[in-house]
Amino acid sequence: MQFTGAHILSIEQFERSDIERVFQVADSMEPYAQRRKVTRVLEGAILGNMFFEPSTRTRVSFGAAFNLLGGEVRETTGFQSTAIAKGESLYDTARVLSGYSDVICMRHPQSGSVAEFAAASRVPVINGGDGSNEHPSQALLDLYTIRKELIASGRGVDGLRIAMIGDLKFGRTVHSLCKLLCLYRDIQVTLVSPTELAMPEQLVEELRAAGHQVLVSEDLAGGIGHVDIAYSTRIQEERFTSREEANLYRGRFRLNQAIYTQYCEPNTVIMHPLPRDSREDANELDNDLNLNPNLAIFRQADNGVLVRMALFALILDVVEQVDRFARPVNWYSGRE
Ligand code: NCD
């Protein structure tokens, strides 16, 4: 694909070679993300960060990634603080805001809304999650994490065994991840969810058409038994008609250290797009896993900065210039 000036709306835009390119650029961003060097390559550029749904990681890491490349961030959160609350259309909002920004990241509760916005935008738009549809940058950072976590044991993404657990119906991160896995070979995907929250049939068919083995289960213990990655997800309460309806499913599949020890292979890596729902009635990923070295959730979140820096550098066509605008950091940076 041509990255320069591109919108990033869906994983369907990517070929395998594009993914490898994103990961290669993400690797090169490590000295900056780890505060060993600073670069001003995007000095003067503005990111319009527009988040119409709650977000911590995606919003802040997109912003941090842009700042780490030397750019500025302008942010809007929630409908009430924008003219959309006065009836302004997505079209008008896109025409106006794209005049103030060089690139826009947007999250919106409606499937397809970010693509609609992008069609009217004068600058590239990145989908930060559109309803239950897609979350492409999350899938990229998830696969980047999978690749990194498996390198230690000499394995790659081809031949991967992964369990996706929880709300597979409304979870946009697993939707994008399934599409991404279709670009790879010989993958075994175990889908563990309540029947009512099963992975959409279309995505299951796409996985099968890619030659992957898909197993569907309602049994957590069996599902996580022989996998490299156990990818847990939160019940997407905001997509249900009421909290009571979400309650029917909350807490159904809980992974904790005792279950991990009993059923998982010793090196199974635990992932979650976060936030994990730590309320007592949910708790899909227990805090007692925090000291488990195979809990990759915070490494996964850190990787989001690298992948998002890579997307900005590619879209704004500065990959080859990043190091030219670099210098050592001035401050104490004692991070690991
Ligand atoms: C996810 C999302 O918003 O889709 N969070 C994220 O971006 N890391 C998952 C979730 O909210 O459960």
Side-chain angles (χ1 to χ4, degrees):
M1 77 182 260
Q2 167 69 262
F3 279 103
T4 308
H7 300 303
I8 305 292
L9 302 173
S10 164
I11 285 297
E12 282 165 25
Q13 294 169 245
F14 293 86
E15 289 176 20
R16 183 163 168 161
S17 57
D18 303 321
I19 306 299
E20 298 306 323
R21 177 77 179 130
V22 173
F23 291 174
Q24 180 196 25
V25 177
D27 285 342
S28 74
M29 296 298 170
E30 256 188 24
Y32 304 101
Q34 292 173 354
R35 315 301 201 268
R36 283 186 272 123
K37 285 201 259 175
V38 287
T39 178
R40 311 305 304 162
V41 69
L42 288 186
E43 189 159 24
I46 294 178
L47 164 69
N49 230 0
M50 305 187 59
F51 279 73
F52 296 118
E53 273 195 330
S55 173
T56 302
R57 266 147 298 274
T58 307
R59 181 172 55 83
V60 179
S61 69
F62 265 124
F66 208 74
N67 287 151
L68 285 167
L69 289 167
E72 303 271 340
V73 183
R74 291 278 169 275
E75 204 157 84
T76 355
T77 50
F79 287 109
Q80 284 316 313
S81 60
T82 72
I84 290 182
K86 299 179 184 174
E88 187 164 54
S89 66
L90 272 182
Y91 177 89
D92 286 7
T93 310
R95 295 304 293 171
V96 171
L97 281 170
S98 55
Y100 306 156
S101 320
D102 296 276
V103 56
I104 292 174
C105 291
M106 186 175 172
R107 169 171 289 187
H108 192 284
Q110 234 171 304
S111 295
S113 54
V114 182
E116 184 189 334
F117 182 92
S121 170
R122 293 176 275 170
V123 299
V125 175
I126 304 179
N127 182 359
D130 61 325
S132 58
N133 183 37
E134 275 223 45
H135 193 346
S137 66
Q138 179 72 41
L140 291 171
L141 79 88
D142 287 344
L143 194 68
Y144 183 74
T145 303
I146 291 171
R147 203 187 61 144
K148 257 191 177 170
E149 296 290 323
L150 296 188
I151 278 173
S153 48
R155 285 166 304 154
V157 179
D158 292 319
L160 176 76
R161 301 166 303 160
I162 182 170
M164 298 182 192
I165 305 148
D167 184 350
L168 308 183
K169 178 179 180 189
F170 294 120
R172 56 193 169 200
T173 74
V174 283
H175 296 169
S176 288
L177 186 56
C178 282
K179 290 188 181 179
L180 191 45
L181 292 178
C182 288
L183 299 176
Y184 290 77
R185 280 191 303 275
D186 194 22
I187 294 180
Q188 183 189 297
V189 188
T190 307
L191 302 171
V192 182
S193 74
T195 326
E196 299 88 334
L197 301 183
M199 182 66 75
E201 197 47 45
Q202 168 71 25
L203 286 165
V204 174
E205 277 167 27
E206 283 176 34
L207 286 167
R208 292 203 166 114
H212 300 333
Q213 189 187 355
V214 183
L215 310 165
V216 177
S217 168
E218 276 199 85
D219 170 34
L220 178 67
I224 58 176
H226 301 284
V227 295
D228 305 301
I229 306 284
Y231 187 108
S232 167
T233 64
R234 173 182 71 88
I235 298 297
Q236 307 284 293
E237 181 182 328
E238 63 277 35
R239 312 268 175 247
F240 290 81
T241 46
S242 65
R243 185 169 160 81
E244 289 63 44
E245 197 196 348
N247 280 344
L248 297 173
Y249 309 107
R250 219 192 298 275
R252 193 82 76 85
F253 301 112
R254 291 178 168 162
L255 187 53
N256 59 27
Q257 187 57 50
I259 293 173
Y260 182 90
T261 308
Q262 189 175 354
Y263 297 106
C264 288
E265 291 175 0
N267 289 322
T268 298
V269 174
I270 306 161
M271 293 177 59
H272 191 301
L274 302 180
R276 50 179 159 168
D277 187 342
S278 55
R279 288 169 289 193
E280 213 172 306
D281 58 347
N283 203 27
E284 67 268 3
L285 214 52
D286 197 277
N287 281 335
D288 72 359
L289 288 160
N290 287 358
L291 294 178
N292 183 326
N294 290 309
L295 184 76
I297 56 175
F298 301 119
R299 296 191 286 276
Q300 187 182 355
D302 283 351
N303 287 336
V305 173
L306 296 172
V307 167
R308 289 170 175 137
M309 287 177 83
L311 289 177
F312 288 134
L314 285 160
I315 293 170
L316 297 175
D317 195 20
V318 293
V319 173
E320 306 308 328
Q321 300 179 65
V322 173
D323 291 335
R324 202 146 51 80
F325 288 84
R327 57 174 174 73
V329 292
N330 301 322
W331 64 90
Y332 168 72
S333 169
R335 60 181 59 222
E336 289 162 36

